[in-house]
Amino acid sequence: MIKKYPVITIDGASGVGKSTLSYSISKKLNWNFLESGYMYRIMAYYIIKYDLSLKKKNIISLFPYINFDFKYMNNGIKVFFKNKDISNEIHSEKISMMASKIAIFPYVRNWLLNKQRKFRRFPGLVTNGRDMGTMVFPDAIVKIFLKKSLLERAKKRKLDLRLRGFKMKIEKIIKDIKQRDYRDKNRILCPLFPAKDAIIIDSTSMSLEKTLKKSMNIIYKKLLNK
């Protein structure tokens, strides 16, 4: 039996810095990278684009046509829809909220499960999301659960939106984050919580460099002891 390629998971709530940290780790290790949340955002984009109601038959009818076309570039991940770069569009608050809504549907999560696992390729995979360490890759060699204060998450979200051309008051962002946290933590299937063997890192008062250094120390220690 061929040994599976190793996986490192970075889980946590919205806005804690999972994407930047996991992408940075993948570059350090020269491993494959998966931004699992983009899959839900792309589905949300299709739903909004074609003005579909959230009926099961409508969403399932999309499955054969959804193409997860990611391109990994020096300045991050680019997402394309019919050769159009929609990277900025899928980061709008409207897309974020729709992605959160469809993520509670078991048939959506089950359909995406195999697609996510196909990213597990040589020499290894670094991925982030809500349930990467608990459901998608329970045998990951390192599981990190990232935390950050609500205010810092809102500030980060406001800056990200501004850089992408969107404006929103921080009070509205905080309200939206709270709503999304509630859905993520209380959904029946794969609720957001740390895996039993996850290492929790609170990065509220830590820079990316310090968070990355701490994470890499954990990872190197694990890899060297294998």
Side-chain angles (χ1 to χ4, degrees):
M1 181 178 179
I2 299 174
K3 188 176 181 180
K4 290 181 179 178
Y5 302 121
V7 177
I8 294 168
T9 61
I10 314 292
D11 284 322
S14 173
V16 296
K18 303 185 303 293
S19 300
T20 306
L21 177 61
S22 55
Y23 188 68
S24 299
I25 292 172
S26 72
K27 298 302 268 184
K28 285 273 188 183
L29 296 173
N30 199 26
W31 284 13
N32 298 296
F33 173 72
L34 169 61
E35 176 74 46
S36 71
Y38 276 33
M39 292 183 165
Y40 294 97
R41 288 177 179 272
I42 291 171
M43 291 188 70
Y45 177 87
Y46 274 72
I47 291 169
I48 292 172
K49 177 79 174 177
Y50 296 110
D51 194 25
L52 299 176
S53 66
L54 295 184
K55 291 183 179 179
K56 184 176 181 178
K57 65 177 183 179
N58 288 343
I59 298 176
I60 290 178
S61 70
L62 283 176
F63 288 174
Y65 306 100
I66 295 178
N67 178 32
F68 299 106
D69 189 5
F70 306 129
K71 291 185 180 179
Y72 302 99
M73 302 179 178
N74 291 332
N75 58 343
I77 307 169
K78 295 295 182 182
V79 180
F80 293 85
F81 172 75
K82 294 183 178 179
N83 296 318
K84 176 189 175 185
D85 185 350
I86 60 169
S87 306
N88 279 341
E89 292 178 61
I90 66 168
H91 282 87
S92 71
E93 202 61 22
K94 188 176 182 180
I95 293 289
S96 295
M97 296 306 290
M98 178 60 75
S100 179
K101 289 177 181 178
I102 63 175
I104 68 172
F105 299 145
Y107 58 90
V108 171
R109 302 193 74 85
N110 289 334
W111 180 69
L112 286 177
L113 189 62
N114 288 331
K115 293 188 175 296
Q116 291 167 344
R117 286 176 174 166
K118 286 180 180 178
F119 280 82
R120 186 176 198 162
R121 299 187 291 262
F122 177 83
L125 173 68
V126 182
T127 181
N128 73 78
R130 303 292 192 280
D131 61 349
M132 293 295 101
T134 53
M135 176 59 70
V136 185
F137 300 105
D139 62 339
I141 61 168
V142 175
K143 301 175 186 178
I144 293 174
F145 192 87
L146 202 59
K147 297 176 66 177
K148 192 185 287 285
S149 72
L150 178 61
L151 181 58
E152 288 302 314
R153 291 165 62 196
K155 288 179 179 177
K156 178 180 177 295
R157 180 65 178 161
K158 183 178 176 66
L159 177 59
D160 289 344
L161 287 170
R162 190 173 69 189
L163 291 174
R164 296 178 184 276
F166 302 104
K167 291 184 178 180
M168 186 177 292
K169 291 183 178 180
I170 197 163
E171 292 81 9
K172 177 65 165 62
I173 294 174
I174 289 174
K175 181 180 178 181
D176 288 346
I177 290 175
K178 285 181 176 179
Q179 289 178 348
R180 186 164 189 178
D181 283 354
Y182 181 83
R183 278 198 297 270
D184 288 344
K185 292 176 180 177
N186 292 280
R187 63 191 181 207
I188 296 174
L189 184 67
C190 307
L192 173 65
F193 66 91
K196 290 182 180 179
D197 53 346
I199 297 169
I200 298 176
I201 298 178
D202 189 334
S203 63
T204 299
S205 57
M206 297 169 64
S207 64
L208 170 61
E209 290 74 19
K210 288 184 178 180
T211 308
L212 177 59
K213 183 178 179 180
K214 183 170 184 176
S215 301
M216 292 308 301
N217 285 340
I218 294 167
I219 291 165
Y220 285 140
K221 183 177 179 181
K222 181 67 176 180
L223 290 175
L224 289 172
N225 288 337
K226 281 187 69 65

